[in-house]
Amino acid sequence: VLLAVVVTSAIGGLYRLWTDARAQAALAINERNAAVNARERAEEFERQARTLVGELTQTAGRIANLPALARTRRELSEKLLAFHENFLRADPDDPRDLFATANAYLTAGRIRADLGNAKEALAAYRRSTELIEKLLSKEPDSPRYREQYAWACFWTAKQLETDGAPNDRIAPLYARSVSTFQELLARYPDTIVYQSSLGVHLANRSL
């Protein structure tokens, strides 16, 4: 009888362990499914946010030559910068976000310069350069990164020139932008964009 009681008790204990394990497994599955659903929602939100930022960037480009909307373009540009910085904070090493943010700062710098905000414009150009240099440290031969770097040097030089900075601060930046496009053209001689960009940089270079 005692043995029967022990066996029955043991079976009851095992049954409780089994039911507890099943409950824990079901809870884990539910939590995992919830986590998967949350991740999918987050990814969908990010896709929608990136699409919106892309559309807003295009809108900013369309109103670029409308003086009456200069301040509107500035406000839009600053909002886009905030979006890009948020993306970048989520993953500081994501090449896609690094490049997009660098480009956004370059655009913001030009808008700030157009509105007479020289100090803020220069800060934006330097931030753009910093981000591009981070990309180039990993992919030094990327044509896209090198082209962006050349433009960052160019607009920094232009701003310094407008501010009356000494030539020894300006000339090296122009030289860097020119040499970068010359190197790109040596590798891709039929690229019209590089040809025209080099012409612009040569025409503006401080001698």
Side-chain angles (χ1 to χ4, degrees), residues 70-168:
R71 295 197 178 278
T72 300
R73 187 175 178 231
R74 161 71 186 262
E75 292 174 4
L76 182 55
S77 171
E78 298 298 330
K79 290 182 185 298
L80 289 170
L81 268 184
F83 267 110
H84 285 298
E85 282 289 4
N86 283 334
F87 289 143
L88 197 57
R89 273 193 290 272
D91 188 353
D93 295 318
D94 186 332
R96 174 184 56 178
D97 289 332
L98 281 166
F99 185 77
T101 307
N103 189 53
Y105 268 106
L106 201 60
T107 300
R110 295 182 63 185
I111 295 171
R112 293 172 181 179
D114 289 344
L115 293 174
N117 300 316
K119 187 176 181 179
E120 293 181 7
L122 199 56
Y125 294 146
R126 285 173 173 161
R127 176 62 172 156
S128 179
T129 303
E130 174 188 318
L131 295 173
I132 286 296
E133 286 177 341
K134 184 174 182 178
L135 286 167
L136 284 170
S137 69
K138 297 179 180 178
E139 294 185 55
D141 296 325
S142 168
R144 185 170 66 152
Y145 298 163
R146 289 175 65 79
E147 179 183 10
Q148 187 80 356
Y149 175 73
W151 280 112
C153 291
F154 175 83
W155 288 113
T156 303
K158 289 285 287 182
Q159 188 60 53
L160 288 171
E161 195 170 35
T162 300
D163 295 345
N167 192 58
D168 61 358

Side-chain angles (χ1 to χ4, degrees), residues 19-20 37 47 72 88 95 104 123 129 132 153 159 165 177 179 192 200:
T19 54
D20 287 346
N37 290 336
R47 281 193 292 271
T72 300
L88 197 57
T129 303
I132 286 296
C153 291
Q159 188 60 53
S177 71
S179 65
I192 296 174
V200 170

